[in-house]
Amino acid sequence: MTDYKFLKPYTFAKKGITVKNRIVIPPMTEEMSFSNGEVTADELRYYHMHSGGAGMFITATANVNSLGKGFEGELSVADDKFIPSLSKLAEAMHKDGTKAILQIFSAGRMSSTAILRGQQPVSASAVKATRNNSETPRELSETEVEQTIKDFGQATKRAILAGFDGVEIHGANTYLIQQFFSPHSNRRSDKWGGSVEKRMTFPLAVVDEVQSAIDKYADKPFLMGYRISPEEIEEPGIRFDDTLKLIDALKEKPIDYLHVSMGDVWRKSLNDKSVTVPLNLTIKQHLGDLPLIGVGDIQTPADAEKVLDEGIDFAAIGRESLREPHWVQKVIAGDEKAIRYTISPADHEELGLYGTFWDFLITAFHNGLQLSSEPHTVDDRKKFNSTLDHIFGGGK
Ligand SMILES: Cc1cc2nc3c(=O)[nH]c(=O)nc-3n(C[C@H](O)[C@H](O)[C@H](O)COP(=O)(O)O)c2cc1C
């Protein structure tokens, strides 16, 4: 069957940009960049091998300044010197019409003195995360906050010059932008903190700065997406009502899509067990015509079609795209039986999951990979997905 809704093109109304289908590869850090953040040849091979099927491919997150680095081997867009190698990355991702989106971020308190080579991590306030081995960050000064916002604009300029089709602002997964929105990590009493509205000041200022860079430097339509984590489990922490307020504010801004980070696209509330409707469906109602990307354990064509059937505009396939680089091509060829849902450790090089990426995967995501060499049950899968929700939302 090849008349799936997810194979139909989509045109972003504000920009007139058409993507060839509704399948997205979500951002996945691969820890394969050089230690200074420059793209490596292995990275180019991985992206080229996995591109060509999905309508949009979003890169691993890239830091907008040196204090924003959160992982070893992380991409960087913090300096003009990276533009030539980022151009090669955009080119590798542009296979067969796939649109290339650069995800931009600062890790804030989710970094460490070791990763920052002796510098203390920074955040909205000097409050450490509730995870083991977290370090207490240093509160950013007002001047530094203003500079960080400008760094997001500069990163956008570099993405435009490198030939990307858009940027995704990483406001999710407990990193700096979420830290400003969260009452756990933002205890400021200046204009950047306080009420839920004031905690939105930094995220919305980043959106405005990114838009100014687009207005100034893009000579063709350029997308701006925004990624959120809808809830935190910390007390105090982001609750779903706060997120709906943020979404209402984002709707007034010129963003092209919202991307909701979850381990299970049908997840309900982490905090309020009386909620019976999946958060994504409530979010879609709030968004109206603004497109939504749903993600979280979408594996089969039927899984992706259900996402579209329920009114969500795009289905993002993360870990499954690592196991099966030709997922879309096999669906189009009517060869769904050939789609791989497990991964053999012996195949990791053939799949472009080189050295440090593979090490990262089998360390941090072991139980969520579906290794053919190890038994796994649906329960294991669900358990791992809920761990992902905690990792990517907040809490231990
Ligand atoms: C190896 C790996 C790295 C990830 N890195 C990022 C990242 O850089 N930025 C981000 O927003 N999410 C990141 N995520 C989360 C994914 O984008 C996605 O939301 C998550 O894997 C759930 O989707 P899936 O079930 O289809 O894998 C990462 C996930 C994995 C597995």
Side-chain angles (χ1 to χ4, degrees), residues 335-365:
D335 196 14
E336 289 179 25
K337 286 194 298 301
I339 294 176
R340 286 175 277 206
Y341 296 107
T342 58
I343 188 167
S344 167
D347 286 342
H348 74 93
E349 295 251 334
E350 280 74 7
L351 292 167
L353 315 174
Y354 302 109
T356 43
F357 192 7
W358 184 247
D359 283 350
F360 177 46
L361 285 170
I362 53 166
T363 311
F365 296 91

Side-chain angles (χ1 to χ4, degrees), residues 26-30 59-62 71 103 168 170 172-173 175 227 259-264 295-298 316-322 357 360-361 365 368-369 385 388 392:
M28 281 182 286
T29 288
E30 15 76 9
T59 63
T61 201
F71 303 91
Q103 192 186 52
E168 179 174 281
H170 194 355
N173 299 1
Y175 298 117
R227 196 168 216 223
H259 191 175
V260 179
S261 179
M262 291 197 207
D264 173 358
V295 70
D297 202 26
I298 300 166
I317 297 178
R319 285 164 290 159
E320 175 55 20
S321 75
L322 304 177
F357 192 7
F360 177 46
L361 285 170
F365 296 91
L369 281 183
N385 291 336
L388 270 190
F392 291 148

Side-chain angles (χ1 to χ4, degrees), residues 76-92:
S76 181
V77 62
D79 193 286
D80 286 350
K81 72 180 178 191
F82 297 123
I83 296 173
S85 69
L86 288 168
S87 304
K88 288 187 195 158
L89 178 57
E91 195 185 327

Side-chain angles (χ1 to χ4, degrees), residues 34-101:
F34 285 113
S35 58
N36 70 348
E38 197 158 339
V39 179
T40 59
D42 282 349
E43 241 167 348
L44 291 178
R45 278 204 293 275
Y46 157 73
Y47 280 97
H48 192 253
M49 193 183 291
H50 288 254
S51 196
M56 285 199 291
F57 196 161
I58 306 167
T59 63
T61 201
N63 58 65
V64 299
N65 57 34
S66 55
L67 274 176
K69 183 172 174 177
F71 303 91
E72 299 296 349
E74 178 177 285
L75 268 180
S76 181
V77 62
D79 193 286
D80 286 350
K81 72 180 178 191
F82 297 123
I83 296 173
S85 69
L86 288 168
S87 304
K88 288 187 195 158
L89 178 57
E91 195 185 327
M93 294 169 80
H94 276 150
K95 195 164 90 184
D96 297 336
T98 294
K99 300 287 185 203
I101 310 291

Side-chain angles (χ1 to χ4, degrees), residues 7 204 225 230 237 268 277 283 317 334 341 371:
L7 290 180
L204 298 178
K268 295 174 188 146
V277 179
I283 289 173
I317 297 178
Y341 296 107
L371 294 171

Side-chain angles (χ1 to χ4, degrees), residues 324-337:
E324 180 51 84
H326 298 125
W327 193 97
V328 172
Q329 292 89 331
K330 287 181 180 176
V331 175
I332 292 173
D335 196 14
E336 289 179 25
K337 286 194 298 301

